[in-house]
Amino acid sequence: MSCTVFLDLLAREAPPVEFEAPLVEARASGAAPEVLAELEQAKLAALRVRALLERRARREAELSALFDTAGDLAGLRDVGAVLEAIVRRARRLLQADISYMTLHDPDRGDTYMRVTDGSVSAAFRALRLPMGAGLGGLVAQTGTPYASPDYFADERFRHRDHIDVAVREEALVAILGVPMRLGAQIIGVLFAANRSARPFAQEEVTLLASLAAHAAIALDNARLLEETRTALAELGAANQLVQARSVAVERAAQAHDRMTGLVVRGGGVEDVAAVVTDILGGALIVLDADGRRLAAVGTVGDLDEAGVAGAAAASRGLGRSVRSGDLWVTSIASGAEILGTLVLRTPEEVSAMDQRILERAALVTALLLLFRRTAAAAEGRVRGELLDDLLTGRAVHSDALHERARLLGVDLHAPHVLVVARHRTEDSPDGRAASWSSSEGRAASWSSSARRTAFWASSDAASRHGLVAARGEETVFLLPGLAPGPAAQRVAKELGASLGTPVTAGAAGPVQGPAAIAGAYHEARRCADALLALGRAGDGASSEELGFVGLLIGRDRDVGGFLESALGPVLAYDRRRGTSLIQTLETYFGTGASLSRTAERLHIHVNTVTQRLDRISRLLGDDWQDPARALELQLALRLNRLGPLTN
């Protein structure tokens, strides 16, 4: 019966104090001593069984907590959540009032509060423990577990005021701390503490150490996971970079192939600009060596010429594209010779690989410009040699000469005009230009102005199915047409604009057939000389536009045409009205412009003379008495008097 009572108590998990009740009842009922002894032995056996069951239950709870912690580590996603779970389990298993964890800070050389469970003090949660200070600092420094049943009475620790203040605010008395190890390194401390004095059993120290080991593993796994994530992110970034570079290389290869194809197919500068804008976007302008536009694709807008020039100079020095605001500038050069500039306007960032595309475009543009110059020079030499033969009158009737002209697209039997253009170059202060059609000229070193003259002249003559040659100080054009004056004016204007310097052009013609070309050439030269002598540099004209000077230098001496241009309105008025204004004009000039003597010689009144002169002013214009015009009128009056003798 005694065993049954105690078994019931064990089954009810009764507290130890209830196991005394059977003995108390037996004594009260006057049980024999042997019965009391048997009950005492049964009680002790039952208490031993109860203690064993408690230990096994506690061990089962500990193992379950460790198992749960291991599961948390296996599914680690958030290291903070795992550490909080470990600290919470430590508090529950050790039946502590508070549990917490500190971690080592390698940068500051101390430990800081990482996780707490059951804390009520903000100062305690923000506490930092120097190495060796307090119980936690000593555990972190030595790597040895420490337990204190009464922290403030324990002299084993270096007490610090700020630590003790925080511990008192949290009202802690008993503290247990165990190190968190990662190999030989102490990375933190795990604590369990009570707000009343209590000793900590060895089993509790072991349990807390196990949880600390799991916490260390969690931190190490988190570190490895973070490193893995970082490595994956870096690998992803590297992969993106490789892909971007692959795309850039593909773009560069595409640009290279397209621009190479342009060179092979004989494309122009405009085609290169179109390829660049198609690949890079934006707008592109191609400038020549003097900053004039050769081609443009897209809307570039106004350019800061000084800024572009500075960027181009920097590009030449660096051998790379240079940024200037929203412009990317690349110099076009061949060796030391500057051929021009590429200017790309785009609001987008231009990568280093795309800058190489722009630089390659500059190389291709330089190649095309050199090709174009070489082709123009070659064609200019051929056309110049043919025109040289025509100007000297050599073999003008030979079939070979006509065949050479036919191959160049020139019909020598069609009407042509001769234009002689003169301008100053920087290498010739007296206006003498380097020859670029003769053999000695080909060996000469050209200036930039001479090259532009040759290129423009060759291109213009070829486009009009004409011929051009440089002869000493002048550039000679043989161009299809019937109007020498307008042709001379056009050459003076357009060549002057291309060179940026005045060009004076004299013209003669039209001529038909090779035999008349040499004579027309000499007349055009005399016309250019006359323009310069008359102070009309930068102008263009034929002898017909030079008045009586043209009459003197003209090959055909068109007296009738001169009379018509000088006196035509007065002569027509006299014929139509039967008046004698021509006689009045002759007399007026013959008397030295005296009204009275003119009236006396004509036997008319002075007022009549005045009226006739007013009529002449209305017919000829108010400037007819200016010295130059008066001289021309007097010459025309003399030729008119000679009549048939001048024909």
Side-chain angles (χ1 to χ4, degrees):
M1 176 177 177
S2 59
C3 294
T4 303
V5 173
F6 289 112
L7 288 175
D8 289 340
L9 292 173
L10 289 173
R12 288 193 297 108
E13 297 182 353
V17 68
E18 290 190 24
F19 283 77
E20 293 291 337
L23 280 173
V24 173
E25 291 176 358
R27 288 191 187 97
S29 63
E34 58 272 15
V35 173
L36 294 175
E38 182 181 354
L39 287 173
E40 182 66 27
Q41 291 177 356
K43 182 195 74 170
L44 294 176
L47 288 174
R48 286 195 298 271
V49 170
R50 184 183 184 282
L52 179 61
L53 291 175
E54 280 187 340
R55 285 197 300 272
R56 288 183 175 177
R58 187 167 58 250
R59 184 59 178 166
E60 182 180 352
E62 293 171 357
L63 291 175
S64 177
L66 293 175
F67 180 79
D68 291 342
T69 302
D72 290 340
L73 293 176
L76 179 65
R77 290 295 180 270
D78 182 356
V79 65
V82 173
L83 295 180
E84 288 174 1
I86 290 173
V87 171
R88 187 166 54 252
R89 287 167 188 152
R91 180 188 178 196
R92 186 178 68 249
L93 291 174
L94 271 68
Q95 298 179 355
D97 294 326
I98 178 175
S99 60
Y100 53 97
M101 178 189 299
T102 60
L103 296 181
H104 178 58
D105 186 343
D107 295 331
R108 297 180 57 169
D110 62 1
T111 60
Y112 64 95
M113 202 70 69
R114 175 66 172 83
V115 183
T116 65
D117 187 64
S119 174
V120 296
S121 169
F124 185 80
R125 289 193 297 271
L127 188 62
R128 300 187 73 95
L129 304 176
M131 300 296 287
L135 185 147
L138 187 60
V139 174
Q141 186 179 54
T142 62
T144 302
Y146 277 89
S148 176
D150 189 349
Y151 174 75
F152 291 103
D154 201 328
E155 298 297 332
R156 292 177 299 166
F157 315 118
R158 284 191 299 158
H159 290 270
R160 294 285 182 88
D161 290 342
H162 75 284
I163 299 176
D164 289 352
V165 167
V167 173
R168 281 194 178 92
E169 187 173 315
E170 193 65 59
L172 298 183
V173 177
I175 303 175
L176 168 63
V178 296
M180 294 165 53
R181 294 180 180 275
L182 196 59
Q185 183 182 7
I186 307 299
I187 63 172
V189 180
L190 181 61
F191 297 87
N194 271 19
R195 294 188 172 93
S196 60
R198 84 167 255 199
F200 289 95
Q202 183 60 42
E203 292 85 357
E204 293 176 316
V205 175
T206 302
L207 173 60
L208 196 61
S210 297
L211 291 172
H214 282 84
I217 293 172
L219 288 169
D220 191 46
N221 286 348
R223 177 186 60 82
L224 294 174
L225 182 60
E226 183 62 27
E227 290 178 355
T228 301
R229 288 172 177 168
T230 302
L232 288 174
E234 292 175 350
L235 183 61
N239 185 52
Q240 290 179 352
L241 181 60
V242 169
Q243 290 180 347
R245 287 192 173 274
S246 177
V247 171
V249 169
E250 180 65 26
R251 280 158 55 90
Q254 179 188 10
H256 174 76
D257 292 343
R258 290 178 64 179
M259 286 188 282
T260 302
L262 285 177
V263 175
V264 173
R265 294 193 303 271
V269 174
E270 299 83 357
D271 300 313
V272 176
V275 169
V276 172
T277 55
D278 183 47
I279 294 176
L280 302 184
L284 185 76
I285 184 172
V286 185
L287 304 176
D288 67 9
D290 295 317
R292 289 188 292 269
R293 298 192 180 194
L294 292 177
V297 176
T299 304
V300 179
D302 295 332
L303 297 178
D304 177 7
E305 296 182 2
V308 170
S315 173
R316 288 192 295 273
L318 297 173
R320 287 284 182 265
S321 300
V322 173
R323 185 170 189 173
S324 177
D326 63 345
L327 302 178
W328 285 91
V329 180
T330 302
S331 178
I332 306 171
S334 174
E337 182 184 357
I338 301 169
L339 299 176
T341 307
L342 290 186
V343 181
L344 175 68
R345 168 161 278 163
T346 174
E348 304 295 331
E349 184 65 28
V350 179
S351 66
M353 190 68 73
D354 286 346
Q355 292 176 42
R356 303 294 89 80
I357 293 176
L358 187 61
E359 291 155 12
R360 183 174 296 277
L363 290 175
V364 173
T365 302
L367 186 62
L368 291 177
L369 290 176
L370 291 174
F371 280 171
R372 189 163 71 171
R373 178 197 296 175
T374 302
E379 184 169 354
R381 285 196 297 271
V382 173
R383 292 179 181 274
E385 289 167 356
L386 175 58
L387 184 53
D388 275 336
D389 289 343
L390 292 170
L391 296 179
T392 56
R394 292 194 295 265
V396 294
H397 300 295
S398 69
D399 293 336
L401 185 140
H402 286 272
E403 179 62 18
R404 289 164 60 194
R406 186 187 65 79
L407 293 174
L408 293 173
V410 177
D411 181 6
L412 294 179
H413 295 292
H416 286 75
V417 296
L418 262 292
V419 179
V420 173
R422 293 178 181 167
H423 68 91
R424 292 184 179 274
T425 64
E426 62 266 29
D427 59 342
S428 179
D430 62 353
R432 184 175 298 275
S435 174
W436 44 269
S437 61
S438 59
S439 59
E440 63 272 17
R442 290 194 296 272
S445 174
W446 285 4
S447 68
S448 174
S449 177
R451 281 194 296 269
R452 290 199 302 274
T453 301
F455 180 75
W456 186 92
S458 297
S459 300
D460 185 74
S463 67
R464 299 175 186 278
H465 302 288
L467 300 175
V468 66
R471 294 175 63 84
E473 63 180 4
E474 57 201 23
T475 303
V476 184
F477 297 82
L478 178 66
L479 302 173
L482 298 171
Q489 293 167 10
R490 183 189 63 81
V491 169
K493 179 181 178 181
E494 295 182 8
L495 181 56
S498 176
L499 299 178
T501 186
V503 172
T504 306
V511 296
Q512 196 163 352
I517 291 175
Y521 164 60
H522 293 297
E523 181 181 341
R525 292 191 66 196
R526 289 195 301 270
C527 188
D529 290 335
L531 286 171
L532 293 171
L534 293 172
R536 293 174 59 181
D539 197 0
S542 66
S543 58
E544 284 77 5
E545 284 85 36
L546 294 181
F548 75 91
V549 176
L551 181 64
L552 296 175
I553 65 173
R555 174 169 48 90
D556 297 328
R557 291 180 172 82
D558 184 8
V559 176
F562 172 65
L563 289 177
E564 182 63 28
S565 65
L567 295 174
V570 179
L571 292 170
Y573 189 87
D574 279 350
R575 286 194 298 268
R576 191 168 60 252
R577 299 292 184 90
T579 55
S580 56
L581 294 181
I582 288 293
Q583 181 185 11
T584 302
L585 195 57
E586 287 180 340
T587 305
Y588 178 72
F589 282 127
T591 60
S594 170
L595 293 175
S596 59
R597 283 189 289 169
T598 300
E600 182 181 346
R601 288 189 183 183
L602 294 176
H603 305 289
I604 59 178
H605 196 274
V606 172
N607 290 340
T608 304
V609 174
T610 302
Q611 292 171 0
R612 291 181 179 181
L613 294 180
D614 289 341
R615 173 64 62 182
I616 291 172
S617 295
R618 287 194 292 271
L619 293 172
L620 297 181
D622 293 336
D623 64 340
W624 67 273
Q625 295 193 69
D626 291 347
R629 183 80 183 278
L631 176 60
E632 187 171 303
L633 290 174
Q634 291 178 65
L635 177 60
L637 290 168
R638 292 292 181 93
L639 292 174
N640 183 59
R641 181 180 290 274
L642 292 175
L645 296 177
T646 60
N647 295 328

